[in-house]
Amino acid sequence: MENFVQQLINGLSLGSIYALLALGYTMVYGIIKLINFAHGDVYMVGAFVGYYVINYLNVGLIPALLLSMTFTALLGVVIERVAYRPLRNSSRITALITAIGVSYLLQNGMIYLVGPGVRSFPQVVNNTLYQIGSFQISQMQLLIFGTTIVLMGALQFVVQKTKLGKAMRAVSIDSQTAELMGINPNAVISFTFLLGSALAGAAGVLVGMYYNSIDPMMGYAPGLKAFIAAVLGGIGIIPGAMVGGFVIGLIEVLISGYGNSMIRDAVVYGILIIILVVRPSGILGRHVKEKV
């Protein structure tokens, strides 16, 4: 029982990262019905921004998080303006292929700029272990979980309580009607990319500190798993992305702890197939008929 609770603590830490990434997928899909497969690579860029600002500007964790979030937020807006907006009225497969192309562009661009090697992420937080009864939790795990909760709360506040949040919800329901009501869909979509990319940048810095290593290919697998988390929770639904992220994180850790860590990726991808067959709308989603 003690080992099980310890695994739950580890799973929540990993799930926090997946949840932050899944929020970016689910917001973009909720607004323009696009699977932004470049999102995992924005997370990778955020990790490298944090690496460089900590090493060369000698800043602490909070400034590194803010600078990384700012850079990736602007990168997300540029990607939307340059790669996705011109294809807004094209077929979905065209936009999907473009997203994959942007992903490879970011990966290979970063390999060209910094090289393909793995880099050790600077540690600006002492990873102290706290003993709570018979369980252990590290300061880094507390930091990841706390930062995730704060960012999720801030996002939920923006979406539910602000004018921009109301505009996002209106555009997600019917962009043409929202435009007739005076809402600028282009500005709302850019703001959505800005928010999602900022969260990805924060996740990149936290992962770099947690695993103490970064590389240009680090966004590929977590990006896919975050997408699975978004589908599992109900893609297009913000609370669903949170739930899906925590569930995927817990499943991965429990499989590694009680089964074979070599199959944990296969199990996660198997979950994607099962959820698409059994309940395509996800855990918190609803089946909605679409008129064509």
Side-chain angles (χ1 to χ4, degrees):
M1 185 62 187
E2 293 175 359
N3 184 49
F4 179 74
V5 175
Q6 185 67 57
Q7 296 298 336
L8 289 181
I9 293 172
N10 298 336
L12 288 174
S13 298
L14 179 61
S16 298
I17 302 300
Y18 291 150
L20 281 179
L21 286 171
L23 286 169
Y25 280 106
T26 207
M27 285 194 299
V28 170
Y29 184 84
I31 297 291
I32 60 174
K33 301 297 183 288
L34 167 69
I35 305 297
N36 180 22
F37 279 118
H39 191 64
D41 298 288
V42 173
Y43 145 89
M44 174 271 294
V45 171
F48 273 93
V49 172
Y51 169 85
Y52 281 108
V53 298
I54 291 173
N55 270 336
Y56 296 102
L57 299 182
N58 294 318
V59 300
L61 174 62
I62 301 302
L65 273 175
L66 294 176
L67 288 170
S68 179
M69 291 173 70
T70 301
F71 186 90
T72 52
L74 294 175
L75 177 62
V77 172
V78 170
I79 290 172
E80 189 274 327
R81 291 288 297 271
V82 174
Y84 299 146
R85 186 174 296 184
L87 303 174
R88 186 83 47 81
N89 297 320
S90 302
S91 64
R92 290 188 184 180
I93 189 65
T94 302
L96 181 63
I97 293 171
T98 302
I100 295 172
V102 173
S103 173
Y104 280 106
L105 175 64
L106 291 176
Q107 286 178 16
N108 290 278
M110 192 60 72
I111 289 173
Y112 175 78
L113 290 174
V114 305
V118 176
R119 295 172 181 244
S120 178
F121 200 90
Q123 297 299 298
V124 293
V125 175
N126 293 325
N127 197 19
T128 308
L129 280 176
Y130 298 104
Q131 194 75 29
I132 304 174
S134 57
F135 314 120
Q136 285 186 336
I137 186 168
S138 68
Q139 186 171 341
M140 197 63 228
Q141 287 176 321
L142 288 172
L143 183 63
I144 289 173
F145 190 68
T147 303
T148 300
I149 295 299
V150 169
L151 291 175
M152 286 179 179
L155 175 64
Q156 193 70 0
F157 175 81
V158 169
V159 172
Q160 297 295 331
K161 301 297 183 181
T162 66
K163 288 185 177 180
L164 274 172
K166 292 178 181 178
M168 288 172 63
R169 286 181 279 142
V171 172
S172 70
I173 295 171
D174 190 329
S175 62
Q176 292 181 339
T177 303
E179 188 171 13
L180 291 174
M181 299 299 292
I183 295 172
N184 184 347
N186 287 331
V188 171
I189 293 168
S190 292
F191 182 69
T192 303
F193 272 85
L194 182 145
L195 282 180
S197 299
L199 294 177
V205 174
L206 293 174
V207 163
M209 293 185 62
Y210 189 57
Y211 291 108
N212 195 29
S213 66
I214 58 173
D215 67 89
M217 301 299 293
M218 64 178 284
Y220 178 73
L224 283 178
K225 291 176 183 177
F227 166 67
I228 294 170
V231 174
L232 176 63
I235 194 161
I237 303 170
I238 289 177
M242 301 177 193
V243 172
F246 286 123
V247 170
I248 293 297
L250 287 169
I251 288 173
E252 273 203 25
V253 169
L254 290 175
I255 289 172
S256 298
Y258 294 100
N260 186 348
S261 61
M262 299 295 291
I263 66 168
R264 66 179 186 179
D265 289 350
V267 171
V268 172
Y269 298 137
I271 289 172
L272 175 62
I273 296 172
I274 293 170
I275 198 70
L276 289 175
V277 171
V278 176
R279 188 177 172 82
S281 57
I283 296 173
L284 300 184
R286 294 180 300 171
H287 180 69
V288 178
K289 293 181 179 180
E290 183 178 353
K291 294 182 179 180
V292 294

